[in-house]
Amino acid sequence: MVEIQTAASQVLVSLALGVISLLGAFGLFYIRKGSLWLDEKTKQLKDEKLRKQLDDALDDVENLARVTVGAIEQTTAKAIREAVKDGKTNREELTSLSKIAFSEIKSKVGPEAQKVITQNLGSFDEYLSNLIEVKVLELKAETGQ
């Protein structure tokens, strides 16, 4: 009888250890799964924050470009275009205006916005140059030039 009790105790202990091991494995599985879910949510929040920063930076630069190009068009570019038409000056003066606009806009855009744009689009300077060209074309289209 003692032998049966000993064997039954050993079976119960083995069975209990197996159940505990199985419960531990399930617990670890769900902890890992929860940890991965939390990591994904954290990454998603960071991505949304970065996307908002990029959108804000792009909006700021676009507004500055629109205002600056519009101001240069009103004060200088129109007169230079007329002078080029009349042969009084060369086309290089018109192209120098884009460099002036570039310098003005870049000096007004904060380093953090420039960094965010560079990290996401490759080159702030290239983006700004292209944006200025787009704004000039839009302004010309609006005014019918």
Side-chain angles (χ1 to χ4, degrees), residues 71-139:
I72 289 174
E73 176 64 30
Q74 290 298 316
T75 59
T76 312
K78 195 172 185 179
I80 292 176
R81 259 193 226 97
E82 292 297 322
V84 168
K85 253 188 206 177
D86 297 338
K88 295 178 182 174
T89 189
N90 60 16
R91 193 150 178 77
E92 288 178 20
E93 284 192 51
L94 276 174
T95 57
S96 71
L97 292 178
S98 67
K99 292 176 186 173
I100 292 169
F102 181 90
S103 296
E104 282 185 33
I105 296 165
K106 187 169 182 175
S107 70
K108 292 176 184 173
V109 175
E112 186 63 33
Q114 290 183 32
K115 181 181 174 185
V116 168
I117 291 171
T118 298
Q119 287 173 341
N120 289 280
L121 302 180
S123 168
F124 175 77
D125 290 355
E126 187 175 320
Y127 170 75
L128 182 55
S129 295
N130 292 336
L131 181 61
I132 290 169
E133 292 301 319
V134 167
K135 292 302 172 187
V136 168
L137 289 174
E138 287 176 1
L139 191 60

Side-chain angles (χ1 to χ4, degrees), residues 7-21:
S9 290
Q10 287 177 347
V11 168
L12 286 176
V13 168
S14 295
L15 187 60
L17 288 176
V19 169
I20 290 172
S21 296

